[in-house]
Amino acid sequence: MATCEHVRFVPAQDPSPNTPQGCEECLAEGTRWVHLRLCLSCGHVGCCDSSPQRHATRHFGKEGHPIVRSFEPGEDWRWCFVDELIV
């Protein structure tokens, strides 16, 4: 079974979301999102890959922050972009 070494660097408490009302870039651009992801390195809120702009993945590409968690109510999972695993 594959493992993710990046999970060791996730803080014990999630960072405060920069924009709790939605995707940071979509809010600025006036575009829409499907689902939201919270970067566990810095608190960036980005939209998922089912969203037209894919801002969570773009944030990973720009900043290299490896792990996000779902920012959807009732969901409690994390994704590592580097290892492409749910962690």
Side-chain angles (χ1 to χ4, degrees), residues 11-40:
Q13 186 173 2
D14 289 349
S16 296
N18 298 343
T19 53
Q21 65 276 26
C23 174
E24 189 170 340
E25 291 85 357
C26 286
L27 289 167
E29 298 168 359
T31 55
R32 299 183 143 218
W33 60 83
V34 177
H35 297 286
L36 298 172
R37 308 294 179 241
L38 176 68
C39 174
L40 296 182

Side-chain angles (χ1 to χ4, degrees), residues 2 7-9 12 17 20 22-23 31 37-38 41 44 52 54 56 58 60-61 63-64 71 73-74 84:
V7 75
R8 341 180 252 164
F9 302 107
C23 174
T31 55
R37 308 294 179 241
L38 176 68
S41 295
H44 173 269
R54 306 169 106 187
R58 287 184 185 192
F60 164 68
E63 301 296 334
F71 198 54
E84 297 183 346

